[in-house]
Amino acid sequence: MVDSLKKPAFEEIRPGVKVPAKDTILTPRFYTTDFDEMARMDISCNEDELQAILEEFRTDYNRHHFVRDAEFEQSWAHIDGETRQLFIEFLERSCTAEFSGFLLYKELGRRLKDKSPVLAECFNLMSRDEARHAGFLNKAMSDFDLSLDLGFLTKSKSYTFFKPKFIFYATYLSEKIGYWRYITIFRHLEAHPEHRIYPIFRFFENWCQDENRHGDFFDAIMRAQPQFLNDWQAKLWSRFFLLSVFATMYLNDIQRADFYRAIGLDAREYDIEVIEKTNATAARVFPVVLNVEHPEFYQRLDVCIENNRKLAEIAKAQTPKLLKFFQKLPFYTSSAWQLLKLYLIKPIEVAPTHGTPR
Ligand SMILES: [Fe+2]
Ligand SMILES: [Fe+2]
């Protein structure tokens, strides 16, 4: 390991507080939506299921779960060099994604309070969960001598506007993929405890149940809004969101394969498993899902990874900006083409279940 990497070269806002990772197409986003449209939504056709989910949220199974125990109280200096850097990046990405959920759900809870009380309470209780998750991850970052200023993040990040329908597709998928990511890591480390180099992974089993319940909530909302799921546009959008979520995760994770190696996982195998599971789960509510077993599916994503590697090399070189642009162009074009071809792979039709309570 290179000595100069012992203290990771992260920029700090002030000592110990990390400058948030720069926004790119691959970093977690913050969302906002049309709150009035959300408030006008009629959820009566699936009210019983939503009420049952609300009862589960109120029970608060993980009330006492997120407590740092003695195992955290030691020096983590032995996780050093590149592994330390990758660890911090993993914790930061996870914390930002959790915090993004917190902000959106909190705001929804506030704005729907008087107009749609069941939904408002569900959003408030989900924001409670996400605040715990984000806080726990941020505390973990401080074991590596850095943390995020979440107040600063709230003000400095840009917010993406999605209409409610798209918020549901995106949050449903991010909750369910979050569930599969956490549980897959947990089960792997349960079978191979020698790779559990940091205690946070022990918390993932109960933690992921929060994400699973959040995903079920969005599943129930979408079922209550059949118009979001039952036309040809819904099929196109389902494919779009599935592909965006899978491609983003795959490109991120394969580029950080060393992090997964540090906990004994092969990033590619891990992602393939998470994608298969999430795709199968999505088939319970989306009108179509992707054919992820198509032989071109990962081949094309691998071409995008190779393109990203070349783009990063070009970006690092000492070449004039204009020249860089022309050097980069073919790789951008190639990745866009791969993604288009992936989008056009014939999807798998799912028997309609929307409009019907589970
Ligand atoms: Fe979460
Ligand atoms: Fe969640």
Side-chain angles (χ1 to χ4, degrees):
M1 216 139 327
V2 186
D3 241 353
S4 63
L5 285 175
K6 274 217 162 121
K7 174 133 175 83
F10 286 119
E11 276 185 81
E12 290 166 82
I13 308 175
R14 50 182 192 275
V17 179
K18 188 181 173 301
V19 172
K22 242 175 64 191
D23 268 333
T24 71
I25 196 161
L26 295 179
T27 46
R29 267 159 215 290
F30 284 10
Y31 296 103
T32 181
T33 189
D34 181 338
F35 297 101
D36 294 331
E37 186 190 328
M38 198 79 93
R40 283 194 305 271
M41 246 169 34
D42 173 14
I43 51 160
S44 53
C45 82
N46 204 13
E47 179 114 34
D48 289 349
E49 195 190 354
L50 284 161
Q51 198 67 50
I53 291 173
L54 174 57
E55 281 310 319
E56 288 229 300
F57 287 159
R58 283 179 181 158
T59 308
D60 196 2
Y61 299 99
N62 283 338
R63 182 192 315 235
H64 303 298
H65 182 61
F66 294 93
V67 179
R68 282 162 60 91
D69 53 22
E71 206 190 328
F72 285 93
E73 284 162 28
Q74 53 172 295
S75 162
W76 299 99
H78 59 278
I79 300 181
D80 59 4
E82 202 187 349
T83 312
R84 191 177 183 91
Q85 185 146 351
L86 289 164
F87 234 89
I88 293 169
E89 278 175 16
F90 170 80
L91 294 171
E92 178 180 4
R93 286 185 63 79
S94 309
C95 179
T96 310
E98 297 280 10
F99 189 64
S100 154
F102 161 76
L103 285 178
L104 176 69
Y105 301 160
K106 184 90 205 150
E107 189 62 9
L108 278 161
R110 196 174 72 80
R111 302 274 199 117
L112 301 185
K113 197 167 167 245
D114 303 319
K115 297 164 191 153
S116 189
V118 172
L119 290 190
E121 191 176 351
C122 284
F123 280 119
N124 273 330
L125 295 175
M126 290 197 300
S127 80
R128 166 204 69 197
D129 296 340
E130 305 301 15
R132 278 181 197 150
H133 303 167
F136 204 68
L137 284 155
N138 206 13
K139 200 82 190 77
M141 279 183 79
S142 64
D143 286 337
F144 299 89
D145 305 323
L146 280 172
S147 61
L148 289 176
D149 179 338
L150 297 175
F152 176 80
L153 202 62
T154 309
K155 282 178 249 141
S156 64
K157 283 242 327 162
S158 54
Y159 288 70
T160 306
F161 176 87
F162 272 165
K163 285 183 76 61
K165 166 176 166 174
F166 302 132
I167 285 283
F168 294 144
Y169 289 151
T171 47
Y172 169 76
L173 281 177
S174 79
E175 296 290 357
K176 287 295 182 186
I177 208 168
Y179 165 74
W180 284 113
R181 285 175 65 78
Y182 286 136
I183 197 66
T184 306
I185 291 179
F186 177 83
R187 286 185 188 146
H188 156 73
L189 293 177
E190 196 180 31
H192 303 279
E194 70 280 12
H195 292 301
R196 201 170 57 70
I197 56 175
Y198 182 67
I200 202 166
F201 304 113
R202 248 191 314 115
F203 289 74
F204 280 9
E205 189 182 29
N206 291 21
W207 184 326
C208 75
Q209 295 307 332
D210 282 343
E211 313 306 5
N212 204 25
R213 281 186 285 269
H214 299 170
D216 287 343
F217 166 75
F218 289 110
D219 175 317
I221 289 204
M222 286 192 282
R223 267 168 218 270
Q225 303 293 305
Q227 75 280 11
F228 286 174
L229 296 167
N230 62 9
D231 58 9
W232 60 272
Q233 295 168 32
K235 291 187 178 179
L236 296 181
W237 284 113
S238 299
R239 289 159 73 182
F240 173 80
F241 278 95
L242 283 161
L243 181 59
S244 320
V245 168
F246 294 162
T248 308
M249 177 180 78
Y250 192 78
L251 297 187
N252 266 316
D253 286 351
I254 306 294
Q255 281 170 18
R256 292 172 182 81
D258 286 343
F259 167 77
Y260 293 92
R261 207 166 295 129
I263 55 168
L265 271 173
D266 177 288
R268 194 164 194 276
E269 284 170 18
Y270 168 69
D271 272 41
I272 290 175
E273 185 170 343
V274 170
I275 287 173
E276 272 171 14
K277 293 282 178 39
T278 310
N279 199 49
T281 303
R284 300 209 303 242
V285 64
F286 282 9
V288 292
V289 291
L290 302 186
N291 179 5
V292 294
E293 278 167 28
H294 192 285
E296 284 178 22
F297 192 79
Y298 293 102
Q299 279 169 23
R300 292 196 180 277
L301 287 176
D302 288 333
V303 175
C304 294
I305 286 177
E306 192 48 27
N307 290 337
N308 271 7
R309 204 182 54 74
K310 295 200 176 114
L311 286 165
E313 263 173 33
I314 296 169
K316 261 192 258 155
Q318 304 285 338
T319 349
K321 254 193 170 167
L322 188 69
L323 182 60
K324 271 189 187 173
F325 172 77
F326 285 106
Q327 285 173 331
K328 283 178 175 178
L329 200 55
F331 299 111
Y332 280 131
T333 317
S334 159
S335 288
W337 177 248
Q338 303 308 326
L339 291 170
L340 177 67
K341 294 289 276 184
L342 281 166
Y343 183 76
L344 294 174
I345 292 176
K346 192 171 180 298
I348 298 168
E349 298 274 336
V350 179
T353 57
H354 29 263
T356 55
R358 228 190 323 247

